[in-house]
Amino acid sequence: MKTVIAGALSALLLSAAVTAQAQVSPEDQIELRKAGFSYMAWNMGKLKAQVIEGSVEYNQEQVEAAANTIAAIANSGIGALFGPGTEKDVGHQRTRVDPALFDNMPDVAKLAGNMGTAANTLAAEAKTGDKDAIRVAFGEVGKTCKACHEKYRLD
Amino acid sequence: MKTVIAGALSALLLSAAVTAQAQVSPEDQIELRKAGFSYMAWNMGKLKAQVIEGSVEYNQEQVEAAANTIAAIANSGIGALFGPGTEKDVGHQRTRVDPALFDNMPDVAKLAGNMGTAANTLAAEAKTGDKDAIRVAFGEVGKTCKACHEKYRLD
């Protein structure tokens, strides 16, 4: 477990270093992290419709594509987009982040690591086409989203 | 090649159907497609810094994560977000799409298929860590972005 946390933290810090060097402005960081989370949410919605609600017919190719996208974004180093200066609205970008997040980076890294792990499991289950397993894995990813929102997202 | 095109077109149409059923509003479709493309662009930027410019030190884990994200989004069915009513600005969302895109869906599907194929190659090369091969694959993805922008994105 320590290794997982250390790995997640390390990834977060390394990515932060890259962002610093690539000089993504705080305004752009907020825009990009919202973009990443929105795009994950859209893909979660596709899975929800197909494996939870059944409001859309199950399509193996689409379910795999959606799960892969969620896993890739979850593991893309999105933590790097919570750099200095992104604690509050900047320019045209509004953020719902709780500034407390920036004082609790080890905890955030742990939550982010949990999301990445759960999303990888979802992507793996999606490949099998086992709907029950996908349903469970989808629920686990949802819990990791919620865990961070409840702690670090303002209403 | 015909199979590739047919596959891409099929994926595009199937995804469009899902979106229609999941009732994503035209305004949200524009927001989400911009989110997906922006997030891809951020990850292309990370690769550019690490394998083209060398302005950021090469990091195998980050390069793989970036390439995986680009491939996943490219194959996520983003074409579904070009639904009816998204030809021009809607509500708070501005779009640079050329309305001509909506009259040329088979061509768009071909270009999208090319992007997906090139992005999959990039992700595969990223795993090998062969910088020369990654550089070439990165260039090929860039060409597929540009091909669509030149035809269907307004300045």
Side-chain angles (χ1 to χ4, degrees):
Chain A
M1 190 58 182
K2 269 189 186 163
T3 312
V4 171
I5 297 173
L9 183 58
S10 160
L12 202 74
L13 295 177
L14 281 169
S15 300
V18 170
T19 302
Q21 289 176 68
Q23 295 178 320
V24 177
S25 72
E27 187 171 2
D28 287 348
Q29 286 181 49
I30 294 174
E31 181 173 9
L32 285 165
R33 74 195 185 201
K34 284 160 63 180
F37 289 128
S38 296
Y39 209 75
M40 285 178 80
W42 178 52
N43 283 282
M44 287 292 281
K46 286 189 271 184
L47 292 182
K48 189 180 179 190
Q50 292 184 52
V51 301
I52 307 290
E53 299 172 341
S55 56
V56 174
E57 196 179 349
Y58 183 91
N59 178 289
Q60 180 59 33
E61 194 184 353
Q62 287 176 19
V63 165
E64 276 189 50
N68 283 342
T69 302
I70 293 160
I73 296 176
N75 291 290
S76 65
I78 199 165
L81 298 169
F82 290 84
T86 67
E87 304 84 355
K88 54 182 199 294
D89 299 350
V90 182
H92 294 291
Q93 287 300 322
R94 303 191 65 181
T95 176
R96 283 195 284 169
V97 73
D98 186 330
L101 175 144
F102 300 87
D103 299 325
N104 291 284
M105 279 298 181
D107 185 45
V108 175
K110 188 184 78 175
L111 296 174
N114 291 345
M115 176 176 71
T117 303
N120 284 342
T121 300
L122 175 61
E125 296 296 5
K127 276 187 189 54
T128 69
D130 177 340
K131 291 183 199 176
D132 287 334
I134 297 169
R135 214 168 278 130
V136 171
F138 173 88
E140 292 302 317
V141 171
K143 283 181 198 167
T144 68
C145 299
K146 199 175 171 188
C148 200
H149 291 168
E150 288 186 343
K151 270 190 160 172
Y152 299 116
R153 192 175 73 172
L154 303 174
D155 290 332
Chain B
M1 188 60 182
K2 269 189 186 163
T3 312
V4 171
I5 297 173
L9 183 58
S10 161
L12 203 73
L13 296 176
L14 280 169
S15 299
V18 169
T19 302
Q21 289 177 69
Q23 295 177 319
V24 177
S25 72
E27 187 172 2
D28 287 348
Q29 286 181 49
I30 294 175
E31 182 173 9
L32 285 166
R33 73 194 186 202
K34 284 160 61 179
F37 289 129
S38 296
Y39 210 75
M40 286 179 81
W42 177 52
N43 283 282
M44 287 292 280
K46 287 189 272 185
L47 293 182
K48 189 180 179 191
Q50 291 184 53
V51 302
I52 306 291
E53 299 171 340
S55 56
V56 173
E57 196 180 347
Y58 183 91
N59 178 289
Q60 180 59 32
E61 195 184 351
Q62 287 177 19
V63 165
E64 276 188 52
N68 283 343
T69 303
I70 292 160
I73 295 176
N75 291 290
S76 66
I78 200 163
L81 298 168
F82 290 83
T86 68
E87 303 85 353
K88 54 182 198 294
D89 298 350
V90 183
H92 294 291
Q93 287 300 322
R94 303 190 65 181
T95 176
R96 284 195 283 169
V97 74
D98 186 330
L101 176 144
F102 300 86
D103 299 324
N104 292 282
M105 279 299 181
D107 184 45
V108 175
K110 189 183 77 172
L111 295 174
N114 290 346
M115 176 175 72
T117 303
N120 283 341
T121 301
L122 175 61
E125 296 296 4
K127 275 187 189 55
T128 69
D130 178 338
K131 292 182 199 177
D132 287 334
I134 296 169
R135 214 168 277 131
V136 171
F138 173 87
E140 292 303 315
V141 172
K143 283 181 199 166
T144 67
C145 299
K146 200 174 171 185
C148 200
H149 291 168
E150 287 186 343
K151 270 189 160 172
Y152 299 116
R153 191 174 74 173
L154 303 174
D155 291 331

